Amino acid sequence: SGNVSITGTGGDAGGSGASNYGVYLNSATVKTTGSGSVSITGTGGDAGGSGANNYGVGFNFGTVGAVGGAISITGAGGSSTGNAQYGINGSGSPLTNTGTGTITLSGTGGGTGASGSDYGISLGGGVVSTVNGNLTVNGTGGDAGGTGNSSIGLNIAGPVETTGSGNLSVTGFGGNGGGTGAANYGVYVSAVGI
């Protein structure tokens, strides 16, 4: 089948509104069959504003799948002083690939000033899995140079796994570089994890 590509940028630049997601899958399914690939790229909105929860890519019980083609998801949180400018936030959302298909997740938290909890990637509840393809997860926390806390690179609260010969690579860099915040972990695993 053909490839699927989704790109979005949240709005409300300079405003105070919240939840200006770049891409949001709310109980939605995005998948391909055959050799088709899936590419999703999102940038959170409210640049220069004060709203919270401006995710680059958000999943709320949304499903992404392929049967051999590559899955690539890239998200960057909004540049706001509000909290929780996640690069990628997945809640109860399975991301799966079969055969030799790969999954690559890359998330960078946003946030400026007193913004906190600007995770690069947060995965909770849904299985993220490949079989014989590699699974790569890279997260970098945000709020560089700011005063906020807990800008975690990669927060994992659900299964992240390969079930065949695929390799699993998980890398996280805590945020708030050059700032004064605390608890900016690189990788934080809780509940059911890797």
Side-chain angles (χ1 to χ4, degrees):
S1 70
N3 301 326
V4 174
S5 178
I6 301 172
T7 302
T9 301
D12 194 41
S16 59
S19 302
N20 299 289
Y21 303 165
V23 176
Y24 186 43
L25 297 183
N26 186 17
S27 300
T29 298
V30 175
K31 65 180 181 180
T32 62
T33 58
S35 61
S37 65
V38 175
S39 174
I40 300 174
T41 303
T43 303
D46 198 33
S50 58
N53 305 317
N54 298 295
Y55 306 156
V57 179
F59 302 96
N60 182 41
F61 295 95
T63 300
V64 177
V67 291
I71 295 175
S72 174
I73 302 174
T74 303
S79 300
S80 167
T81 58
N83 292 330
Q85 312 292 330
Y86 293 10
I88 298 173
N89 184 46
S91 177
S93 301
L95 312 175
T96 60
N97 209 337
T98 59
T100 58
T102 60
I103 296 178
T104 303
L105 306 180
S106 301
T108 303
T112 60
S115 179
S117 299
D118 301 312
Y119 296 1
I121 299 177
S122 182
L123 302 172
V127 174
V128 180
S129 70
T130 62
V131 181
N132 297 321
N134 294 336
L135 172 52
T136 304
V137 185
N138 297 319
T140 301
D143 194 34
T147 59
N149 298 324
S150 303
S151 288
I152 296 170
L154 177 57
N155 178 58
I156 298 175
V160 177
E161 61 189 16
T162 63
T163 60
S165 62
N167 297 315
L168 172 61
S169 174
V170 173
T171 305
F173 296 95
N176 196 233
T180 59
N184 298 291
Y185 307 135
V187 178
Y188 183 84
V189 181
S190 62
V192 178
I194 300 168

